[in-house]
Amino acid sequence: MSQHAAPSPGRPTHGADGPWPPRSADRTSDWVTGGVVFAGVLMLLNGALAVLQGIAAIAEDDVYARVGSYVYELNLTGWGIIHVILGALVLATGYGLLKDMAWARFAGIVLASLSLVAQFLFLPYAPVWAVIMMAIDVFVIWALASRQDQVGQAGRRA
């Protein structure tokens, strides 16, 4: 007599003949795909917040602290226009990522890179916020650059 009992009729088995589909050996692709969706949501939020940041810079010069002498000095209205335009483009690209559009991945990498540079240059005006936005931009770039298309994955496995 065997020590292992046969599974009861109502109890699911864990083998290939069970009611659940077998798990794939490469679970990192699901994680990276989830990262791309999260990057799309972050781009939507980043774009909306950049538009609001730009509107605040255009409307009131008293929102941000005055910077004495800065190498990349630009008046706040100029920074506001840059943030509004860049924010609108990032917002649209985030929407495109969530809709899984082909152009959105490349555009997302380019726009997140531009956003990172713009936040770096805006660092003296809002240092804590700029560092947070730069970290988000780095994550977005990583998530979009590490995604691999399904065709490329199938070709490598074979």
Side-chain angles (χ1 to χ4, degrees), residues 109-144:
I109 293 172
V110 170
L111 288 173
S113 300
L114 288 175
S115 174
L116 189 129
V117 170
Q119 291 297 334
F120 175 77
L121 296 175
F122 199 69
L123 198 58
Y125 296 100
V128 175
W129 182 251
V131 169
I132 291 169
M133 296 306 286
M134 288 166 53
I136 290 172
D137 288 332
V138 167
F139 175 76
V140 167
I141 292 167
W142 171 81
L144 296 178

Side-chain angles (χ1 to χ4, degrees), residues 20-46:
W20 297 288
R23 292 185 179 183
S24 66
D26 184 19
R27 297 183 68 176
T28 58
S29 64
D30 294 336
W31 184 74
V32 171
T33 302
V36 171
V37 171
F38 188 57
V41 171
L42 283 179
M43 287 189 76
L44 281 174
L45 294 173
N46 188 356

Side-chain angles (χ1 to χ4, degrees), residues 37-107:
V37 171
F38 188 57
V41 171
L42 283 179
M43 287 189 76
L44 281 174
L45 294 173
N46 188 356
L49 292 173
V51 168
L52 294 175
Q53 184 181 18
I55 290 171
I58 292 170
E60 293 288 331
D61 286 344
D62 297 336
V63 173
Y64 297 106
R66 303 263 184 235
V67 178
S69 176
Y70 182 50
V71 175
Y72 307 109
E73 190 171 347
L74 185 66
N75 66 5
L76 281 174
T77 304
W79 279 118
I81 292 170
I82 289 171
H83 281 295
V84 167
I85 293 170
L86 191 59
L89 292 172
V90 168
L91 185 73
T93 304
Y95 179 76
L97 276 174
L98 292 178
K99 290 293 188 180
D100 201 24
M101 296 185 176
W103 58 268
R105 192 170 128 213
F106 178 73

